[in-house]
mmCIF file of all heavy atoms in Angstrom:
data_model
loop_
_atom_site.group_PDB
_atom_site.id
_atom_site.type_symbol
_atom_site.label_atom_id
_atom_site.label_comp_id
_atom_site.label_asym_id
_atom_site.label_seq_id
_atom_site.Cartn_x
_atom_site.Cartn_y
_atom_site.Cartn_z
ATOM 1 N N SER A 143 79.878 -9.109 59.158
ATOM 2 C CA SER A 143 79.303 -7.910 58.542
ATOM 3 C C SER A 143 78.495 -8.228 57.280
ATOM 4 O O SER A 143 77.526 -7.531 56.967
ATOM 5 C CB SER A 143 80.415 -6.914 58.220
ATOM 6 O OG SER A 143 81.434 -7.532 57.466
ATOM 7 N N ALA A 144 78.874 -9.267 56.572
ATOM 8 C CA ALA A 144 78.138 -9.623 55.354
ATOM 9 C C ALA A 144 76.716 -10.042 55.708
ATOM 10 O O ALA A 144 75.750 -9.637 55.056
ATOM 11 C CB ALA A 144 78.855 -10.752 54.609
ATOM 12 N N ALA A 145 76.596 -10.835 56.758
ATOM 13 C CA ALA A 145 75.273 -11.280 57.202
ATOM 14 C C ALA A 145 74.475 -10.092 57.732
ATOM 15 O O ALA A 145 73.274 -9.968 57.481
ATOM 16 C CB ALA A 145 75.416 -12.362 58.272
ATOM 17 N N PHE A 146 75.158 -9.205 58.440
ATOM 18 C CA PHE A 146 74.479 -8.018 58.966
ATOM 19 C C PHE A 146 73.891 -7.183 57.835
ATOM 20 O O PHE A 146 72.732 -6.789 57.862
ATOM 21 C CB PHE A 146 75.474 -7.172 59.781
ATOM 22 C CG PHE A 146 74.954 -5.808 60.125
ATOM 23 C CD1 PHE A 146 74.047 -5.649 61.171
ATOM 24 C CD2 PHE A 146 75.324 -4.693 59.386
ATOM 25 C CE1 PHE A 146 73.548 -4.390 61.482
ATOM 26 C CE2 PHE A 146 74.822 -3.443 59.686
ATOM 27 C CZ PHE A 146 73.928 -3.297 60.734
ATOM 28 N N GLU A 147 74.711 -6.947 56.830
ATOM 29 C CA GLU A 147 74.262 -6.138 55.701
ATOM 30 C C GLU A 147 73.075 -6.793 54.997
ATOM 31 O O GLU A 147 72.094 -6.137 54.624
ATOM 32 C CB GLU A 147 75.415 -5.939 54.709
ATOM 33 C CG GLU A 147 75.061 -5.043 53.552
ATOM 34 C CD GLU A 147 76.112 -5.079 52.451
ATOM 35 O OE1 GLU A 147 76.907 -6.037 52.398
ATOM 36 O OE2 GLU A 147 76.115 -4.154 51.630
ATOM 37 N N TRP A 148 73.167 -8.090 54.841
ATOM 38 C CA TRP A 148 72.101 -8.832 54.176
ATOM 39 C C TRP A 148 70.800 -8.733 54.979
ATOM 40 O O TRP A 148 69.724 -8.508 54.412
ATOM 41 C CB TRP A 148 72.526 -10.296 54.000
ATOM 42 C CG TRP A 148 71.467 -11.154 53.432
ATOM 43 C CD1 TRP A 148 71.054 -11.200 52.132
ATOM 44 C CD2 TRP A 148 70.650 -12.092 54.150
ATOM 45 N NE1 TRP A 148 70.041 -12.108 51.989
ATOM 46 C CE2 TRP A 148 69.760 -12.669 53.210
ATOM 47 C CE3 TRP A 148 70.582 -12.503 55.488
ATOM 48 C CZ2 TRP A 148 68.817 -13.631 53.567
ATOM 49 C CZ3 TRP A 148 69.649 -13.454 55.834
ATOM 50 C CH2 TRP A 148 68.788 -14.007 54.891
ATOM 51 N N VAL A 149 70.891 -8.877 56.291
ATOM 52 C CA VAL A 149 69.694 -8.779 57.137
ATOM 53 C C VAL A 149 69.088 -7.385 57.043
ATOM 54 O O VAL A 149 67.880 -7.223 56.871
ATOM 55 C CB VAL A 149 70.039 -9.110 58.614
ATOM 56 C CG1 VAL A 149 68.912 -8.686 59.548
ATOM 57 C CG2 VAL A 149 70.313 -10.607 58.761
ATOM 58 N N ARG A 150 69.940 -6.374 57.126
ATOM 59 C CA ARG A 150 69.448 -5.003 57.089
ATOM 60 C C ARG A 150 68.732 -4.715 55.773
ATOM 61 O O ARG A 150 67.634 -4.159 55.756
ATOM 62 C CB ARG A 150 70.633 -4.042 57.264
ATOM 63 C CG ARG A 150 70.204 -2.582 57.389
ATOM 64 C CD ARG A 150 71.401 -1.662 57.487
ATOM 65 N NE ARG A 150 72.264 -1.798 56.314
ATOM 66 C CZ ARG A 150 73.514 -1.338 56.242
ATOM 67 N NH1 ARG A 150 74.038 -0.729 57.266
ATOM 68 N NH2 ARG A 150 74.223 -1.499 55.154
ATOM 69 N N GLU A 151 69.327 -5.112 54.671
ATOM 70 C CA GLU A 151 68.719 -4.834 53.365
ATOM 71 C C GLU A 151 67.463 -5.675 53.153
ATOM 72 O O GLU A 151 66.495 -5.210 52.552
ATOM 73 C CB GLU A 151 69.736 -5.074 52.238
ATOM 74 C CG GLU A 151 71.005 -4.215 52.341
ATOM 75 C CD GLU A 151 70.727 -2.750 52.648
ATOM 76 O OE1 GLU A 151 69.859 -2.160 51.969
ATOM 77 O OE2 GLU A 151 71.350 -2.198 53.575
ATOM 78 N N SER A 152 67.476 -6.898 53.628
ATOM 79 C CA SER A 152 66.310 -7.770 53.466
ATOM 80 C C SER A 152 65.116 -7.241 54.250
ATOM 81 O O SER A 152 63.981 -7.285 53.785
ATOM 82 C CB SER A 152 66.635 -9.196 53.938
ATOM 83 O OG SER A 152 67.708 -9.726 53.205
ATOM 84 N N LEU A 153 65.393 -6.740 55.461
ATOM 85 C CA LEU A 153 64.311 -6.259 56.317
ATOM 86 C C LEU A 153 63.533 -5.121 55.664
ATOM 87 O O LEU A 153 62.325 -5.013 55.828
ATOM 88 C CB LEU A 153 64.877 -5.771 57.663
ATOM 89 C CG LEU A 153 65.158 -6.804 58.734
ATOM 90 C CD1 LEU A 153 65.775 -6.126 59.954
ATOM 91 C CD2 LEU A 153 63.901 -7.554 59.140
ATOM 92 N N ILE A 154 64.234 -4.277 54.941
ATOM 93 C CA ILE A 154 63.589 -3.083 54.408
ATOM 94 C C ILE A 154 63.133 -3.268 52.956
ATOM 95 O O ILE A 154 62.383 -2.443 52.414
ATOM 96 C CB ILE A 154 64.523 -1.852 54.560
ATOM 97 C CG1 ILE A 154 63.728 -0.552 54.503
ATOM 98 C CG2 ILE A 154 65.632 -1.853 53.541
ATOM 99 C CD1 ILE A 154 62.710 -0.394 55.618
ATOM 100 N N ALA A 155 63.553 -4.369 52.348
ATOM 101 C CA ALA A 155 63.207 -4.598 50.934
ATOM 102 C C ALA A 155 61.695 -4.530 50.659
ATOM 103 O O ALA A 155 61.273 -3.908 49.674
ATOM 104 C CB ALA A 155 63.791 -5.932 50.463
ATOM 105 N N PRO A 156 60.861 -5.150 51.495
ATOM 106 C CA PRO A 156 59.414 -5.102 51.218
ATOM 107 C C PRO A 156 58.863 -3.675 51.204
ATOM 108 O O PRO A 156 57.931 -3.376 50.453
ATOM 109 C CB PRO A 156 58.812 -5.907 52.361
ATOM 110 C CG PRO A 156 59.893 -6.809 52.814
ATOM 111 C CD PRO A 156 61.154 -6.008 52.657
ATOM 112 N N ALA A 157 59.441 -2.778 52.019
ATOM 113 C CA ALA A 157 58.955 -1.397 52.049
ATOM 114 C C ALA A 157 59.245 -0.705 50.722
ATOM 115 O O ALA A 157 58.425 0.053 50.202
ATOM 116 C CB ALA A 157 59.622 -0.640 53.197
ATOM 117 N N LYS A 158 60.414 -0.980 50.185
ATOM 118 C CA LYS A 158 60.752 -0.376 48.893
ATOM 119 C C LYS A 158 59.793 -0.880 47.821
ATOM 120 O O LYS A 158 59.365 -0.116 46.953
ATOM 121 C CB LYS A 158 62.193 -0.715 48.513
ATOM 122 C CG LYS A 158 63.229 -0.156 49.459
ATOM 123 C CD LYS A 158 64.639 -0.413 48.918
ATOM 124 C CE LYS A 158 65.690 -0.256 49.989
ATOM 125 N NZ LYS A 158 67.021 -0.665 49.531
ATOM 126 N N LEU A 159 59.469 -2.157 47.887
ATOM 127 C CA LEU A 159 58.545 -2.726 46.903
ATOM 128 C C LEU A 159 57.158 -2.109 47.020
ATOM 129 O O LEU A 159 56.374 -2.130 46.074
ATOM 130 C CB LEU A 159 58.444 -4.249 47.083
ATOM 131 C CG LEU A 159 59.686 -5.046 46.684
ATOM 132 C CD1 LEU A 159 59.525 -6.505 47.052
ATOM 133 C CD2 LEU A 159 59.964 -4.904 45.192
ATOM 134 N N ALA A 160 56.865 -1.574 48.209
ATOM 135 C CA ALA A 160 55.538 -1.006 48.423
ATOM 136 C C ALA A 160 55.521 0.503 48.178
ATOM 137 O O ALA A 160 54.544 1.176 48.517
ATOM 138 C CB ALA A 160 55.072 -1.316 49.847
ATOM 139 N N GLY A 161 56.592 1.037 47.629
ATOM 140 C CA GLY A 161 56.586 2.442 47.247
ATOM 141 C C GLY A 161 57.046 3.420 48.312
ATOM 142 O O GLY A 161 56.850 4.629 48.171
ATOM 143 N N TYR A 162 57.644 2.921 49.360
ATOM 144 C CA TYR A 162 58.181 3.829 50.371
ATOM 145 C C TYR A 162 59.512 4.370 49.866
ATOM 146 O O TYR A 162 60.277 3.645 49.234
ATOM 147 C CB TYR A 162 58.351 3.097 51.715
ATOM 148 C CG TYR A 162 57.016 2.839 52.378
ATOM 149 C CD1 TYR A 162 56.178 1.825 51.907
ATOM 150 C CD2 TYR A 162 56.572 3.627 53.431
ATOM 151 C CE1 TYR A 162 54.931 1.606 52.475
ATOM 152 C CE2 TYR A 162 55.332 3.415 54.013
ATOM 153 C CZ TYR A 162 54.508 2.407 53.540
ATOM 154 O OH TYR A 162 53.287 2.195 54.099
ATOM 155 N N LYS A 163 59.766 5.665 50.125
ATOM 156 C CA LYS A 163 60.980 6.304 49.622
ATOM 157 C C LYS A 163 61.935 6.598 50.761
ATOM 158 O O LYS A 163 61.513 6.954 51.864
ATOM 159 C CB LYS A 163 60.627 7.626 48.917
ATOM 160 C CG LYS A 163 59.549 7.518 47.857
ATOM 161 C CD LYS A 163 59.937 6.598 46.712
ATOM 162 C CE LYS A 163 58.861 6.594 45.644
ATOM 163 N NZ LYS A 163 58.961 5.414 44.751
ATOM 164 N N LEU A 164 63.219 6.526 50.460
ATOM 165 C CA LEU A 164 64.255 6.756 51.472
ATOM 166 C C LEU A 164 64.203 8.168 52.039
ATOM 167 O O LEU A 164 64.076 9.138 51.308
ATOM 168 C CB LEU A 164 65.633 6.539 50.846
ATOM 169 C CG LEU A 164 66.834 6.907 51.730
ATOM 170 C CD1 LEU A 164 66.913 5.986 52.942
ATOM 171 C CD2 LEU A 164 68.122 6.855 50.923
ATOM 172 N N ILE A 165 64.327 8.277 53.347
ATOM 173 C CA ILE A 165 64.562 9.571 53.979
ATOM 174 C C ILE A 165 65.800 9.420 54.849
ATOM 175 O O ILE A 165 65.893 8.538 55.683
ATOM 176 C CB ILE A 165 63.327 10.078 54.770
ATOM 177 C CG1 ILE A 165 63.594 11.493 55.285
ATOM 178 C CG2 ILE A 165 62.949 9.128 55.911
ATOM 179 C CD1 ILE A 165 62.310 12.220 55.690
ATOM 180 N N GLU A 166 66.803 10.262 54.578
ATOM 181 C CA GLU A 166 68.101 10.159 55.256
ATOM 182 C C GLU A 166 68.215 11.332 56.214
ATOM 183 O O GLU A 166 68.182 12.487 55.781
ATOM 184 C CB GLU A 166 69.203 10.187 54.213
ATOM 185 C CG GLU A 166 70.560 9.745 54.696
ATOM 186 C CD GLU A 166 70.614 8.258 55.023
ATOM 187 O OE1 GLU A 166 70.392 7.423 54.132
ATOM 188 O OE2 GLU A 166 70.881 7.955 56.196
ATOM 189 N N LEU A 167 68.334 11.040 57.504
ATOM 190 C CA LEU A 167 68.242 12.094 58.510
ATOM 191 C C LEU A 167 69.485 12.168 59.383
ATOM 192 O O LEU A 167 70.258 11.214 59.441
ATOM 193 C CB LEU A 167 67.013 11.827 59.397
ATOM 194 C CG LEU A 167 65.683 11.830 58.656
ATOM 195 C CD1 LEU A 167 64.570 11.350 59.572
ATOM 196 C CD2 LEU A 167 65.373 13.218 58.133
ATOM 197 N N PRO A 168 69.663 13.301 60.072
ATOM 198 C CA PRO A 168 70.808 13.420 60.982
ATOM 199 C C PRO A 168 70.651 12.483 62.174
ATOM 200 O O PRO A 168 69.534 12.142 62.559
ATOM 201 C CB PRO A 168 70.741 14.880 61.446
ATOM 202 C CG PRO A 168 69.326 15.285 61.248
ATOM 203 C CD PRO A 168 68.837 14.535 60.065
ATOM 204 N N VAL A 169 71.788 12.063 62.738
ATOM 205 C CA VAL A 169 71.713 11.199 63.919
ATOM 206 C C VAL A 169 71.577 12.026 65.183
ATOM 207 O O VAL A 169 71.340 11.491 66.253
ATOM 208 C CB VAL A 169 72.916 10.245 64.046
ATOM 209 C CG1 VAL A 169 72.957 9.266 62.892
ATOM 210 C CG2 VAL A 169 74.208 11.015 64.154
ATOM 211 N N PHE A 170 71.767 13.338 65.083
ATOM 212 C CA PHE A 170 71.523 14.158 66.271
ATOM 213 C C PHE A 170 70.498 15.235 65.935
ATOM 214 O O PHE A 170 70.407 15.700 64.801
ATOM 215 C CB PHE A 170 72.819 14.764 66.827
ATOM 216 C CG PHE A 170 73.610 15.610 65.878
ATOM 217 C CD1 PHE A 170 73.364 16.972 65.796
ATOM 218 C CD2 PHE A 170 74.606 15.061 65.094
ATOM 219 C CE1 PHE A 170 74.113 17.770 64.935
ATOM 220 C CE2 PHE A 170 75.350 15.853 64.221
ATOM 221 C CZ PHE A 170 75.098 17.203 64.134
ATOM 222 N N GLU A 171 69.736 15.582 66.937
ATOM 223 C CA GLU A 171 68.649 16.545 66.755
ATOM 224 C C GLU A 171 68.589 17.448 67.981
ATOM 225 O O GLU A 171 69.204 17.176 69.012
ATOM 226 C CB GLU A 171 67.296 15.795 66.649
ATOM 227 C CG GLU A 171 67.164 14.879 65.449
ATOM 228 C CD GLU A 171 66.551 15.559 64.219
ATOM 229 O OE1 GLU A 171 66.354 16.799 64.267
ATOM 230 O OE2 GLU A 171 66.289 14.856 63.228
ATOM 231 N N ASP A 172 67.798 18.486 67.854
ATOM 232 C CA ASP A 172 67.471 19.345 68.987
ATOM 233 C C ASP A 172 66.833 18.479 70.078
ATOM 234 O O ASP A 172 65.917 17.722 69.811
ATOM 235 C CB ASP A 172 66.466 20.412 68.501
ATOM 236 C CG ASP A 172 66.193 21.469 69.565
ATOM 237 O OD1 ASP A 172 66.146 21.128 70.765
ATOM 238 O OD2 ASP A 172 66.020 22.636 69.179
ATOM 239 N N THR A 173 67.333 18.561 71.283
ATOM 240 C CA THR A 173 66.836 17.729 72.374
ATOM 241 C C THR A 173 65.321 17.829 72.536
ATOM 242 O O THR A 173 64.646 16.843 72.847
ATOM 243 C CB THR A 173 67.525 18.114 73.707
ATOM 244 O OG1 THR A 173 68.930 17.931 73.552
ATOM 245 C CG2 THR A 173 67.016 17.261 74.863
ATOM 246 N N ALA A 174 64.794 19.025 72.293
ATOM 247 C CA ALA A 174 63.354 19.245 72.487
ATOM 248 C C ALA A 174 62.513 18.337 71.592
ATOM 249 O O ALA A 174 61.390 17.972 71.935
ATOM 250 C CB ALA A 174 63.008 20.711 72.211
ATOM 251 N N LEU A 175 63.059 17.959 70.432
ATOM 252 C CA LEU A 175 62.314 17.089 69.527
ATOM 253 C C LEU A 175 61.904 15.802 70.228
ATOM 254 O O LEU A 175 60.782 15.325 70.076
ATOM 255 C CB LEU A 175 63.152 16.758 68.291
ATOM 256 C CG LEU A 175 62.541 15.740 67.329
ATOM 257 C CD1 LEU A 175 61.269 16.285 66.690
ATOM 258 C CD2 LEU A 175 63.539 15.341 66.246
ATOM 259 N N PHE A 176 62.814 15.250 71.018
ATOM 260 C CA PHE A 176 62.520 13.979 71.673
ATOM 261 C C PHE A 176 61.773 14.175 72.983
ATOM 262 O O PHE A 176 60.852 13.419 73.294
ATOM 263 C CB PHE A 176 63.811 13.198 71.898
ATOM 264 C CG PHE A 176 64.564 12.945 70.623
ATOM 265 C CD1 PHE A 176 65.798 13.528 70.400
ATOM 266 C CD2 PHE A 176 63.999 12.150 69.628
ATOM 267 C CE1 PHE A 176 66.477 13.318 69.203
ATOM 268 C CE2 PHE A 176 64.677 11.933 68.425
ATOM 269 C CZ PHE A 176 65.910 12.512 68.217
ATOM 270 N N SER A 177 62.166 15.195 73.752
ATOM 271 C CA SER A 177 61.477 15.379 75.032
ATOM 272 C C SER A 177 60.007 15.691 74.777
ATOM 273 O O SER A 177 59.136 15.211 75.495
ATOM 274 C CB SER A 177 62.152 16.461 75.867
ATOM 275 O OG SER A 177 62.349 17.634 75.114
ATOM 276 N N ARG A 178 59.756 16.456 73.717
ATOM 277 C CA ARG A 178 58.365 16.783 73.421
ATOM 278 C C ARG A 178 57.683 15.663 72.636
ATOM 279 O O ARG A 178 56.553 15.296 72.906
ATOM 280 C CB ARG A 178 58.315 18.083 72.618
ATOM 281 C CG ARG A 178 57.084 18.913 72.963
ATOM 282 C CD ARG A 178 56.814 19.946 71.920
ATOM 283 N NE ARG A 178 57.904 20.910 71.769
ATOM 284 C CZ ARG A 178 58.021 21.708 70.704
ATOM 285 N NH1 ARG A 178 57.132 21.659 69.736
ATOM 286 N NH2 ARG A 178 59.021 22.536 70.617
ATOM 287 N N GLY A 179 58.371 15.100 71.652
ATOM 288 C CA GLY A 179 57.751 14.113 70.779
ATOM 289 C C GLY A 179 57.595 12.745 71.421
ATOM 290 O O GLY A 179 56.522 12.156 71.411
ATOM 291 N N VAL A 180 58.680 12.244 71.980
ATOM 292 C CA VAL A 180 58.633 10.898 72.560
ATOM 293 C C VAL A 180 57.950 10.913 73.915
ATOM 294 O O VAL A 180 57.261 9.961 74.288
ATOM 295 C CB VAL A 180 60.056 10.316 72.679
ATOM 296 C CG1 VAL A 180 60.047 8.959 73.355
ATOM 297 C CG2 VAL A 180 60.698 10.206 71.299
ATOM 298 N N GLY A 181 58.162 12.007 74.651
ATOM 299 C CA GLY A 181 57.470 12.113 75.928
ATOM 300 C C GLY A 181 58.409 12.167 77.109
ATOM 301 O O GLY A 181 59.213 11.268 77.324
ATOM 302 N N GLU A 182 58.290 13.238 77.877
ATOM 303 C CA GLU A 182 59.116 13.489 79.047
ATOM 304 C C GLU A 182 59.061 12.337 80.055
ATOM 305 O O GLU A 182 60.024 12.040 80.736
ATOM 306 C CB GLU A 182 58.594 14.784 79.697
ATOM 307 C CG GLU A 182 59.590 15.607 80.463
ATOM 308 C CD GLU A 182 60.593 16.308 79.578
ATOM 309 O OE1 GLU A 182 60.253 17.328 78.950
ATOM 310 O OE2 GLU A 182 61.723 15.824 79.542
ATOM 311 N N SER A 183 57.916 11.682 80.124
ATOM 312 C CA SER A 183 57.720 10.669 81.178
ATOM 313 C C SER A 183 58.314 9.312 80.805
ATOM 314 O O SER A 183 58.436 8.429 81.642
ATOM 315 C CB SER A 183 56.223 10.483 81.442
ATOM 316 O OG SER A 183 55.641 9.707 80.411
ATOM 317 N N THR A 184 58.703 9.131 79.553
ATOM 318 C CA THR A 184 59.215 7.816 79.167
ATOM 319 C C THR A 184 60.620 7.599 79.688
ATOM 320 O O THR A 184 61.383 8.545 79.899
ATOM 321 C CB THR A 184 59.261 7.686 77.625
ATOM 322 O OG1 THR A 184 60.161 8.680 77.117
ATOM 323 C CG2 THR A 184 57.894 7.882 77.002
ATOM 324 N N ASP A 185 60.975 6.336 79.886
ATOM 325 C CA ASP A 185 62.340 6.002 80.307
ATOM 326 C C ASP A 185 63.339 6.436 79.266
ATOM 327 O O ASP A 185 64.432 6.897 79.577
ATOM 328 C CB ASP A 185 62.454 4.495 80.531
ATOM 329 C CG ASP A 185 61.884 4.098 81.870
ATOM 330 O OD1 ASP A 185 61.016 4.833 82.354
ATOM 331 O OD2 ASP A 185 62.314 3.075 82.425
ATOM 332 N N VAL A 186 62.940 6.264 77.999
ATOM 333 C CA VAL A 186 63.849 6.608 76.901
ATOM 334 C C VAL A 186 64.312 8.053 77.037
ATOM 335 O O VAL A 186 65.506 8.351 76.927
ATOM 336 C CB VAL A 186 63.156 6.384 75.542
ATOM 337 C CG1 VAL A 186 63.958 7.003 74.405
ATOM 338 C CG2 VAL A 186 62.953 4.900 75.286
#
Side-chain angles (χ1 to χ4, degrees):
Chain A
S143 53
F146 168 78
E147 184 191 20
W148 175 76
V149 166
R150 186 183 59 195
E151 301 314 311
S152 301
L153 278 177
I154 201 62
K158 297 186 197 173
L159 290 174
Y162 287 76
K163 308 298 183 199
L164 173 66
I165 186 162
E166 195 68 61
L167 299 171
V169 296
F170 57 90
E171 296 269 7
D172 187 324
T173 301
L175 174 65
F176 303 114
S177 50
R178 214 197 299 164
V180 176
E182 209 71 77
S183 77
T184 62
D185 280 26
V186 168

